[in-house]
Amino acid sequence: MPQGETFHRAVSKVLFISQIYGLLPVSHVRALDVADLRYRWLSPRVFYSGLIVILNLCEFGAVINYVVKVAINFHTSSTLSLYIVCLLEHLFFWRLAIRWPSIMRTWQSVEKLFLRVPYRFYGEYKIKKRIYIVFAVVMSSALVEHCLLLLNSFHLSNMERIQCKINVTYFESIYKWERPHLYMILPYHIWLLPIFEWVNETIAYPRSFTDCFIMCIGIGLAARFHQLYRRIAAVHRKVMPAVFWTEVREHYLALKRLVRLLDAAIAPLVLLAFGNNMSFICFQLFNSFKNIGVDFIVMVAFWYSLIFAVVRTLLTIFVASSINDYERKIVTALRDVPSRAWSIEVQRFSEQLGNDMTALSGSGFFYLTRSLVLAMGTTIITYELMISDVINQGAIRQKTQYCREF
């Protein structure tokens, strides 16, 4: 395994890109040595992240004002929840940034065990390659989703302007459609559009990046469990001295402590990400049963957004659950230890493996294992059965009505 194949070096460029959107404001995030990582309250990154949070808070206040004046219903409440989730994601990443330097130092101290012989012979997991692939696939798909939603807004605002004979310019109609909460209190100016689009980007980016970040953490941890499993599998059914099992058990406990440290640090993000994903999927499923029109652009944007949310959630579960998968493989390997090689150290190792769950969790409410897919599928099916009457009402689709009141 290459000496530089550490989690910090593999994920540094991904975190640097996220800082463009105000997430994880840690100084020197691309430094080769984790000792150079710093969190400083008086730094350009913290100031920039604070500015983005303030802008999002101001827009959230405008959304609350709009909802109070219009009405609180199923759709306006979803807009409120979107801004709440966005603000919480920014705050949780900020909270994580304060602890990130110490977390990375602890992570590197554990990784040193797996960057030397004999683990270097079992290190073809390719952390950096996997992280780059996951980041490229998820975030490029998120970019396509964002572009489709923008195209959808441009199309619908133009159709409203034409069909309802609204005497405004094309760009003003876009501003009115995209930001009705700001249109009520802030007059239209062409120079406002790029500013609001950038704020919109900072709102949309964390929703997909949080899942991507959880996958990156899962890849980094799974790589070390993979090495530990391969070292044990290499001595399959062989008689090994007690010192071998003592060393392997100590390395496992070091990984276990690292998982607990990361779980405590990112548990709020995991809980928020999966709660938001489930609510968004259910919201979109509810909309699919209603009359969403026959417009091609609307249909493409809607179904792409729904499918992407489902696939992204499943991918997050499968990638993060690989930690638990490798631990279960280690348990299976221990069962094949010959009776003549069974010792107190093997017994202690076996008992420690079976004591509790080794996996990332959502603050203890659920664990990222493959069984979570079944639990989420059951929840969605139950939700569909509860609104089966809406399915019958939405059997006939009519042309979308673009005119609306403000």
Side-chain angles (χ1 to χ4, degrees), residues 81-329:
S81 66
L82 172 65
Y83 281 89
I84 291 173
V85 168
C86 168
L87 287 170
L88 287 177
E89 284 173 335
H90 276 280
L91 293 176
F92 287 157
F93 270 111
W94 204 332
R95 169 180 173 268
L96 179 62
I98 299 173
R99 301 178 57 189
W100 190 252
S102 63
I103 290 173
M104 284 295 96
R105 293 185 187 102
T106 303
W107 196 323
Q108 188 181 64
S109 67
V110 174
E111 278 189 318
K112 287 180 180 178
L113 301 172
F114 297 89
L115 294 175
R116 62 192 186 195
V117 178
Y119 290 108
R120 289 185 66 182
F121 300 119
Y122 311 121
E124 78 286 357
Y125 201 77
K126 299 179 181 178
I127 301 177
K128 182 181 289 187
K129 181 179 179 180
R130 288 171 182 257
I131 287 177
Y132 285 1
I133 291 175
V134 164
F135 180 77
V137 170
V138 173
M139 299 315 298
S140 61
S141 300
L143 179 61
V144 173
E145 178 194 30
H146 186 68
C147 292
L148 283 174
L149 292 177
L150 282 179
L151 178 63
N152 182 47
S153 294
F154 294 165
H155 172 68
L156 291 179
S157 62
N158 189 51
M159 292 300 295
E160 179 190 54
R161 185 174 65 93
I162 295 173
Q163 290 189 5
C164 305
K165 299 179 181 179
I166 301 175
N167 189 24
V168 295
T169 64
Y170 174 70
F171 288 107
E172 184 175 355
S173 69
I174 293 173
Y175 175 57
K176 184 179 179 182
W177 183 279
E178 274 279 284
R179 293 290 191 273
H181 49 278
L182 293 177
Y183 189 77
M184 294 179 63
I185 59 177
L186 193 63
Y188 164 76
H189 296 285
I190 187 68
W191 56 270
L192 288 175
L193 293 183
I195 297 176
F196 289 141
E197 176 54 30
W198 174 245
V199 175
N200 190 31
E201 290 280 349
T202 64
I203 293 172
Y205 184 86
R207 187 164 64 93
S208 296
F209 178 74
T210 303
D211 290 330
C212 187
F213 180 75
I214 295 169
M215 284 186 265
C216 291
I217 296 292
I219 290 171
L221 293 173
R224 306 312 170 197
F225 278 94
H226 169 75
Q227 288 177 280
L228 187 67
Y229 163 70
R230 286 207 58 198
R231 185 182 179 188
I232 296 174
V235 297
H236 182 65
R237 296 187 178 278
K238 294 181 180 179
V239 178
M240 302 300 294
V243 66
F244 171 84
W245 294 111
T246 301
E247 183 179 76
V248 169
R249 183 175 62 84
E250 289 175 352
H251 294 170
Y252 167 77
L253 291 177
L255 283 178
K256 187 87 169 181
R257 288 191 292 269
L258 181 61
V259 171
R260 288 174 179 170
L261 174 66
L262 267 298
D263 183 48
I266 70 170
L269 281 171
V270 174
L271 183 62
L272 184 65
F274 278 86
N276 180 52
N277 288 343
M278 280 297 295
S279 63
F280 179 78
I281 291 171
C282 290
F283 176 77
Q284 292 294 79
L285 285 174
F286 177 82
N287 285 336
S288 70
F289 301 147
K290 296 178 64 179
N291 179 9
I292 62 173
V294 293
D295 194 292
F296 178 75
I297 296 178
V298 176
M299 295 288 287
V300 170
F302 174 84
W303 287 111
Y304 182 91
S305 181
L306 175 58
I307 294 171
F308 174 58
V310 173
V311 173
R312 190 182 68 238
T313 304
L314 292 176
L315 185 62
T316 305
I317 295 174
F318 282 116
V319 172
S321 66
S322 56
I323 302 170
N324 184 253
D325 293 341
Y326 283 119
E327 187 190 47
R328 293 172 63 182
K329 289 181 179 180

Side-chain angles (χ1 to χ4, degrees), residues 3 9 16 31 47 52 57 67 79 83 94 104 130 135 172 197 199 204 264 275 277 308 327 340 356 361 372 383:
Q3 193 67 25
R9 294 187 181 185
F16 178 76
F47 176 78
I52 288 178
L57 276 172
V67 170
T79 304
Y83 281 89
W94 204 332
M104 284 295 96
R130 288 171 182 257
F135 180 77
E172 184 175 355
E197 176 54 30
V199 175
N277 288 343
F308 174 58
E327 187 190 47
R340 65 182 182 277
D356 56 353
S361 71
L372 183 61
Y383 173 79

Side-chain angles (χ1 to χ4, degrees), residues 40-99:
R40 297 188 179 93
W41 285 102
L42 298 177
S43 68
R45 284 177 171 83
V46 171
F47 176 78
Y48 177 67
S49 297
L51 178 62
I52 288 178
V53 171
I54 290 172
L55 289 175
N56 289 335
L57 276 172
C58 293
E59 185 161 2
F60 179 57
V63 171
I64 294 177
N65 176 67
Y66 173 77
V67 170
V68 170
K69 289 186 177 181
V70 177
I72 298 179
N73 52 44
F74 189 68
H75 292 278
T76 54
S77 62
S78 69
T79 304
L80 278 174
S81 66
L82 172 65
Y83 281 89
I84 291 173
V85 168
C86 168
L87 287 170
L88 287 177
E89 284 173 335
H90 276 280
L91 293 176
F92 287 157
F93 270 111
W94 204 332
R95 169 180 173 268
L96 179 62
I98 299 173
R99 301 178 57 189

Side-chain angles (χ1 to χ4, degrees), residues 377-395:
T378 303
T379 302
I380 292 174
I381 292 173
T382 304
Y383 173 79
E384 290 186 16
L385 293 175
M386 290 177 62
I387 58 173
S388 58
D389 56 329
V390 180
I391 301 176
N392 296 329
Q393 294 175 9

